[in-house]
Amino acid sequence: LAEVEHELQAAEAEFGSTLSRASWYMAQGLMSFYLGQDETSWSLIREADKVSSLSPASVLGFFDMLHSGQQWERLARWLPEIGPLLGSHRNEHLSSYQFYWDAVIAHLPEEAERMWSSLTDMLPYSKDIYQNALITHGRWREWIDYQLSTGREPLELRVSELAPIEKNAPELLLPFYHQAVERYILHKNRAGYKAAVKLLKRLAKLYKKLKQQERWDLFIISLSVRNSRLRAFQEELRRGKLIS
């Protein structure tokens, strides 16, 4: 390794401005990696990325070596440090990133908070793997909070995406659905009313599942009365058999 280091230093002097700085930094970063000089390696890899955006394979390669060597503690330190360099790449590469985190957590459960911190720091690029991780780890409230914070509409979500929440924490869907219903009604057009009714039917099923039928009856009556002047909305409510 000392000989390699000498050659790298010589290359800088020999090639000058024609030297591929990104490759030069990466070669030094790899050498530092093998020497166990992680902080130096991270710095060099980031410098390489500044010169020329690194390919996902270049970043994932370090994780793969640590994973293959079952160096879980070291992998837990590497993932937050250079994982963000994957941020602007396609989901498939971020899925690989999550694979390495899952492997770490399987061996070192105490590293879970480091994983969550890393995933949130990489938002919005990590939004898909972040949401998947929330579901996988049963963090239902945080999943709902994320949907609310990003303004995502319930009707934009596939039924399969909502199924784990309906099964494990259906009560958390109530504010998510209620807020969306109010937004749809405020559109004051037929499309908005139809969307509201579609969601109201889901709410009716949720209240039934939660054995809160009386609460649902009071709500739907109140909603109808508050919006009694919206003739088209009243028509949609009757068409959806939500009121008589």
Side-chain angles (χ1 to χ4, degrees), residues 8-204:
L8 286 170
Q9 298 305 323
E12 182 181 25
E14 180 179 350
F15 293 102
S17 60
T18 63
L19 179 70
S20 172
R21 305 296 294 185
S23 297
W24 186 71
Y25 281 129
M26 279 299 288
Q28 290 188 90
L30 186 60
M31 184 177 65
S32 296
F33 170 83
Y34 285 126
L35 290 171
Q37 299 170 351
D38 290 345
E39 291 188 8
T40 300
S41 186
W42 299 333
S43 179
L44 289 163
I45 293 167
R46 292 191 194 104
E47 287 301 318
D49 187 67
K50 288 178 185 177
V51 175
S52 178
S53 183
L54 296 177
S55 69
S58 299
V59 177
L60 294 172
F62 289 98
F63 303 153
D64 191 55
M65 287 186 282
L66 293 169
H67 179 269
S68 297
Q70 299 186 6
Q71 298 183 55
W72 308 120
E73 291 184 2
R74 196 175 174 201
L75 181 55
R77 295 193 300 271
W78 271 76
L79 286 165
E81 292 294 337
I82 66 169
L85 300 183
L86 292 168
S88 60
H89 293 289
R90 294 192 299 260
N91 284 343
E92 62 195 79
H93 304 302
L94 288 171
S95 294
S96 296
Y97 179 70
Q98 186 58 45
F99 164 80
Y100 293 116
W101 264 124
D102 289 341
V104 167
I105 301 307
H107 292 86
L108 302 173
E110 65 274 17
E111 292 291 349
E113 286 310 310
R114 197 199 296 249
M115 178 189 74
W116 293 117
S117 178
S118 180
L119 293 179
T120 53
D121 286 346
M122 289 172 66
L123 289 170
Y125 297 116
S126 63
K127 62 184 178 65
D128 290 334
I129 61 170
Y130 176 60
Q131 292 178 88
N132 289 338
L134 289 173
I135 293 295
T136 300
H137 292 273
R139 297 173 75 132
W140 317 119
R141 183 174 295 280
E142 288 167 80
W143 187 88
I144 288 290
D145 288 345
Y146 182 73
Q147 310 311 312
L148 291 169
S149 68
T150 57
R152 201 169 183 194
E153 298 290 348
L155 295 179
E156 294 174 359
L157 296 162
R158 298 188 302 274
V159 173
S160 59
E161 291 180 85
L162 292 165
I165 313 295
E166 285 200 16
K167 179 181 178 181
N168 296 283
E171 68 282 357
L172 296 179
L173 288 171
L174 294 178
F176 188 37
Y177 286 1
H178 273 291
Q179 290 180 33
V181 165
E182 296 294 341
R183 287 196 298 272
Y184 294 149
I185 294 172
L186 287 174
H187 291 171
K188 293 191 176 179
N189 57 38
R190 185 72 69 167
Y193 300 149
K194 286 183 176 181
V197 167
K198 186 174 183 179
L199 206 49
L200 284 166
K201 287 182 177 181
R202 291 192 192 178
L203 269 170

